[in-house]
Amino acid sequence: MAALDEATRTVPCKDSCDGHTSNVRGEPRLEPPGDACGRGEQQKAARLRGVLAAMFGADAPAPSEVLVVRAPGRVNLIGEHTDYNEGFVLPAAIDRDVTIAVRGRRDRIVRVHSLNYVESVEFALDHISYDHDHPWSNYVRGTLKVLADSGAPLRGMDMVVAGDVPAGAGLSSSAALEVATAVAARAVAGQVAGGFDLDDRALALKCQKAENSFVGVNCGVMDQLASSLGKAGHALFIDCRSYDCEPVPLPCDYPIVICDTGVRRGLRDSEYNLRRSQCEEAVMLLQRRGMPVRSLRDVSPGELARVEPWLPEAVRVRAKHVILENDRVLLSVEALRAGRVGEFGRLMVASHASLRDLYEVSCPELDAMVEVALDVPGVAGARMTGAGFGGCTVNLVHEDAVDEFRRTVLTRYMSKVNPSRLSLEPQVYVCRAEDGAGLIPPEG
Ligand code: GLA
C-alpha cells in the first residue's frame, strides 16, 4: 500500500482541540479533531464551506446547495489478512475521517482542492485518467470513474477535501477518501431528478473496485465496508464472502487505543500481493487433493492437521494463520457479545503472534510496541493492525489505565527500538468507534 502513504498525509486541523495525543517528547499535538473533544464536526464543516466559497466562489450557486460529507478511517480489532480469503473481520470505524464540502455544477467538470496537500486538480467526468502528478487525487478519480462506468448519473462537482486519518499507518486513509467521494457524488446526484440509489454497502464495493482497478492496489473489502457501515460504540463483524455486516457492541470502559510505531515501509505492496498469491496457491493445492474449497474460508481448524502435509512450508504457515484467524474472529464476536473482555484480549494477543510467526507481516517495532503495551496493568489485549510491516498497533486498555498507558508505553518503546528506523515520531491515539460515512447536517 505505498500508494496509501501518498493518499492523505495528515495535516493537523486548525479547528480541532489539542491535547489528546502526545508524542514521545510529550509535546501536545493538534489531534484528534471534532467529536473526540465534544465539538468540531460543525466547525470543520463550516471551515470547509468557507474554503469552498473562497476557492471556487465566482460561479458558486447559493450556499445552501453546498453539502458536507465525512467518511471515517478504521481500525481492525481482529481478523487480519482474512478479507481476501473470503473470511471474517472485526474492524471499527474511528473518530478520524476525511471530510468533503461539495456542490454540484451545471457541467461535467470536477474540481478538487486538497487542504492536506494544498493542491487542486480538475478533470472531466467523461475522461478520467490516472494522475501521476497528484497521486492523492486518484482515489477521487477512481471512485468517480467506477461509479460513472457502472451507469451512475454523476454531476460535475466542486470539492474541498480535508483529512486527519494518519496516512500509511494502517488506518485506511485511502478508503476514507474513496468512501467520502462516493457519498458526496451520490448526495450531489440526489439534488436533482434522476440521482442514483446505490446503498452504502454497494458504494463500499464500488470504492474497493476503484482501489483495485484504478489505483492499482489489490486490497480486500474490509476497509471500505468499515468506513461505510461502521456503527458508533460497535465493531463491525463482516463476512467477506456474503458482505453481511453485524454490529458488535464494544465494552464502554475500554476505549480503543492506537499506537503508531512511526514506521512506514514501502515493502507492503509487494509483500501483500505475495501473501495473497500464497493463499491462492494453498486453495489450488487443496482443490487438487479433491477438497471442495473455494477459498481458505472453507477450511475449518479441525481439518488443519489433515491438510497441512499437503502444502509446502511457506504456503502451509500462511494458510494456517488464515484458518485459525477466521476462528479467532468468531470466538471474539462471541466473547464481546458475552462481555468477556479478557478472552477477547487473549485472542488479540494470539492473533499478533500468528501474524508475526506464521504470516510474517509484523516487524520489530510492531512487536516491541505490543510487548511494552502488554506490560502495562489494565491492558487486556494488543496486536498489530492493518496490512503490517509498520503502522499501528491496536490496544484494549481499561479507561482507568489509559493515562498510565500513554505515559509509559512510548518511553519504553523508544528504549527498545532503533530510532533511525522511524520515519515519524511514534504516537498514541485514544479513539472511539464512530458511525460510518454520511452527510454532516447543516447547523441549526
Ligand atoms: C489492508 C487491506 C485490507 C486487508 C488488510 C489486512 O488494510 O486494505 O483489505 O487485507 O490489509 O487485513
Side-chain angles (χ1 to χ4, degrees), residues 1 4 74 76 79-84 89 170 172 211 219-224 272 386-388:
M1 262 99 298
L4 293 191
R74 66 98 190 94
N76 190 18
E80 216 66 83
H81 292 277
T82 46
D83 61 350
Y84 52 83
V89 292
S172 296
E211 185 140 351
C219 63
V221 73
M222 164 172 69
D223 308 344
Q224 291 81 6
Y272 186 87

Side-chain angles (χ1 to χ4, degrees), residues 1-11 73-74 96 116-117 139 164-176 211 223 258-269 363 366 384-393 423-425 429:
M1 262 99 298
L4 293 191
D5 301 1
E6 288 303 312
T8 44
R9 286 183 301 180
T10 302
V11 171
R74 66 98 190 94
R96 290 177 161 255
N116 296 61
Y117 284 88
Y139 299 92
D164 60 11
V165 187
L171 300 177
S172 296
S173 55
S174 52
E211 185 140 351
D223 308 344
I258 296 171
C259 298
D260 190 337
T261 58
V263 175
R264 299 288 182 274
R265 294 273 295 275
L267 250 188
R268 279 193 294 174
D269 279 352
C363 64
L366 283 166
M384 57 154 277
T385 185
F389 301 105
C392 293
T393 65
S423 339
L424 299 167
E425 283 184 3
Y429 312 120

